[in-house]
Amino acid sequence: MSIERIRPGGALRGSVSVPGDKSISHRSAILGALAEGTTSVRNYSPARDCQSTLSCLRSLGVEVSGTSAGIEIVGTGERGFREPERVLDCGNSGTTFRLMLGALAGMDLFAVLAGDESLSRRPMDRVLLPLSRMGARYDARAGGRLPPVALRGGRLTGISYTTPVASAQVKSAILLAGLRAEGRTEVVEPALSRDHTERMLAAMGAEVEREPCRTVVRPSTLRAARIAVPADPSSAAFFLGAALVVPDSDVVTAGVCLNPTRTGFLSAVERMGGRVSVENARDEAGEPVGDVRARASELRATEIGGAEVPTLIDEIPLLAVLATQARGTTVVRDAAELRVKETDRIAALCRELARMGADVSERPDGLEVRGPSRLRGAEVETYGDHRIAMALSVAALVAEGETIVRGADCAAVSYPSYWEDLARVREGALV
Ligand code: S3P
């Protein structure tokens, strides 16, 4: 297991280019593989999760070639994927698992999907139940709930489905299945989750109708596209968050995706008194993009809950760390989904931040943090969860003494060069 040792001291300064957005990268590869013609994707994420998607697609007979500048995917169009000879290994990636289930459900083939230890504990019934209502057949471990999943795809019929929780993965799986289903497929969600699938489907010529929290898709053949993936706001957040709490810091993250379903973190830290600003706002390939700057700030507590939660779901570990440095009690509610991410993030955060001297308590659906507190360096665990690893690294930057992050290499799940980029921006070097 790899460890990272972090000592406080030194402002973060300069500009960071974080990898391409993980969510958009997954979708560009899967939609490209379904389309007619060759799709080219610039700035495809090097995240381990996004590589899992590419290796699954290759096992399904999809031709993928690439360089560091980008990838090309030869779409399979009407023909669809080839039946895989072996188990599709989704690694740590819930998005790969769930979106692939949706893409495969309408094809006449048998496929088994599996993942690592963490992914094998994550619920798949949330996708399998609606897909089986459309006509797919499956079996899965733990009474049909957990991976591995054996899927028998085939003829599907469109459904109207209301998701019990706002989940872009569930929504996307159903919409992808809808591309090959008879009639219309409708997904209604209780709050708007990230909408990259809907945007990309429309851009690639699918018949999609959208209203807030309601999407309808009709059987469509996608057209290949040229896609430029903006920088991942969920990765940029760690540098922005660190800059807010480390004295004298001033950091810019360039070309970040500013899709409103992803900017909850920026709104929350603004409420907390964080000095963040967007420069160079523009539109690139159907997604709003800009350079985001953050400067060291005095933070105050805030409340996070309701419809805001899906817009910052992956940033809650970091927000909990920032809350330890903010005056007052920060409350996160309506975020029980955190318990079924790569690890139970509520339990992991409370345990590890308490080790560092934070005043935190668990709620069934979130947590409470009383600040500000002086953190102290400690030996902390990541539970193999990339966002926990990176959030704890930010806590370490403001803690007294050395922090040892055990299992630090899991950051590669979303951000392979995270530790190097953090070291460089701490020296004020341009990344
Ligand atoms: C993702 C959606 C979110 C998010 C995950 C990526 C996606 O999960 O937490 O990191 O790309 O669709 P849910 O949709 O399950 O909330």
Side-chain angles (χ1 to χ4, degrees):
M1 180 190 296
S2 88
I3 62 165
E4 283 289 329
R5 293 173 186 275
I6 300 173
R7 289 191 154 275
L12 282 76
R13 302 189 78 87
S15 168
V16 194
S17 288
V18 305
D21 186 67
K22 187 156 84 75
S23 293
I24 297 176
S25 295
H26 284 298
R27 287 157 173 80
S28 68
I30 297 173
L31 270 59
L34 294 173
E36 204 77 70
T38 300
T39 287
S40 63
V41 185
R42 194 155 53 77
N43 202 31
Y44 188 84
S45 171
R48 213 183 270 160
D49 272 5
C50 297
Q51 303 307 311
S52 294
T53 289
L54 295 185
S55 82
C56 287
L57 291 173
R58 287 195 178 101
S59 306
L60 291 159
V62 179
E63 237 182 89
V64 183
S65 55
T67 61
S68 57
I71 61 166
E72 292 206 330
I73 305 138
V74 182
T76 55
E78 296 271 295
R79 173 167 47 91
F81 299 158
R82 182 184 75 200
E83 187 169 69
E85 285 167 9
R86 283 183 307 225
V87 172
L88 298 173
D89 181 3
C90 302
N92 189 245
S93 176
T95 309
T96 305
F97 205 112
R98 295 185 176 127
L99 268 57
M100 290 305 303
L101 282 174
L104 291 165
M107 296 181 188
D108 180 21
L109 50 74
F110 171 78
V112 178
L113 290 84
D116 70 5
E117 215 181 299
S118 151
L119 188 52
S120 301
R121 289 192 297 265
R122 300 184 64 188
M124 294 302 156
D125 48 343
R126 51 178 59 196
V127 171
L128 292 167
L129 292 173
L131 293 181
S132 70
R133 274 188 47 199
M134 295 176 81
R137 284 180 293 152
Y138 71 94
D139 208 343
R141 194 166 66 83
R145 216 165 53 80
L146 300 178
V149 170
L151 180 78
R152 163 69 58 193
R155 287 175 70 90
L156 303 181
T157 313
I159 54 168
S160 173
Y161 190 74
T162 301
T163 62
V165 289
S167 161
Q169 295 178 354
V170 174
K171 171 175 64 177
S172 302
I174 301 169
L175 294 175
L176 292 180
L179 291 174
R180 286 182 169 253
E182 210 177 284
R184 72 200 274 283
T185 297
E186 177 181 57
V187 184
V188 179
E189 46 185 349
L192 184 62
S193 64
R194 63 192 68 189
D195 64 356
H196 309 299
T197 303
E198 299 91 299
R199 284 174 186 251
M200 208 179 280
L201 282 174
M204 293 173 79
E207 254 193 82
V208 192
E209 280 166 41
R210 297 192 57 194
E211 280 168 32
C213 299
R214 200 181 76 92
T215 310
V216 174
V217 70
R218 292 193 167 74
S220 318
T221 306
L222 304 178
R223 287 191 301 267
R226 296 173 80 85
I227 298 167
V229 181
D232 194 325
S234 301
S235 297
F238 293 104
F239 294 103
L240 300 171
L244 292 174
V245 291
V246 176
D248 297 324
S249 296
D250 187 350
V251 163
V252 175
T253 54
V256 176
C257 177
L258 293 175
N259 178 317
T261 61
R262 300 289 299 281
T263 50
F265 170 76
L266 297 178
S267 313
V269 294
E270 266 182 337
R271 283 204 304 276
M272 295 172 84
R275 294 189 295 163
V276 288
S277 55
V278 173
E279 292 157 16
N280 250 327
R282 54 200 187 268
D283 237 70
E284 272 178 20
E287 294 277 351
V289 170
D291 305 333
V292 187
R293 178 177 181 193
R295 281 171 284 175
S297 309
E298 286 285 319
L299 298 182
R300 51 181 181 270
T302 190
E303 304 224 338
I304 294 167
E308 186 181 22
V309 169
T311 69
L312 44 66
I313 187 74
D314 293 336
E315 286 69 70
I316 292 175
L318 171 63
L319 284 163
V321 170
L322 301 186
T324 68
Q325 303 306 300
R327 186 162 305 282
T329 303
T330 293
V331 183
V332 177
R333 51 172 70 89
D334 307 319
E337 275 296 291
L338 292 175
R339 296 206 181 270
V340 290
K341 293 294 181 189
E342 285 80 334
T343 187
D344 176 343
R345 287 183 175 161
I346 296 173
L349 282 167
C350 290
R351 208 171 305 135
E352 300 313 306
L353 289 177
R355 254 193 244 272
M356 297 181 77
D359 186 359
V360 300
S361 41
E362 276 194 38
R363 296 169 50 97
D365 65 341
L367 41 85
E368 284 185 26
V369 184
R370 287 159 291 276
S373 47
R374 259 190 106 81
L375 301 182
R376 46 174 194 271
E379 195 161 329
V380 291
E381 296 287 339
T382 62
Y383 305 87
D385 182 323
H386 56 129
R387 308 240 187 249
I388 298 290
M390 294 185 276
L392 290 173
S393 75
V394 175
L397 295 177
V398 293
E400 227 173 291
E402 187 180 68
T403 296
I404 297 178
V405 182
R406 287 164 53 87
D409 53 339
C410 64
V413 162
S414 58
Y415 195 159
S417 60
Y418 177 70
W419 301 105
E420 292 82 2
D421 288 359
L422 180 62
R424 259 180 285 173
V425 81
R426 290 188 75 192
E427 289 160 5
L430 295 182
V431 178

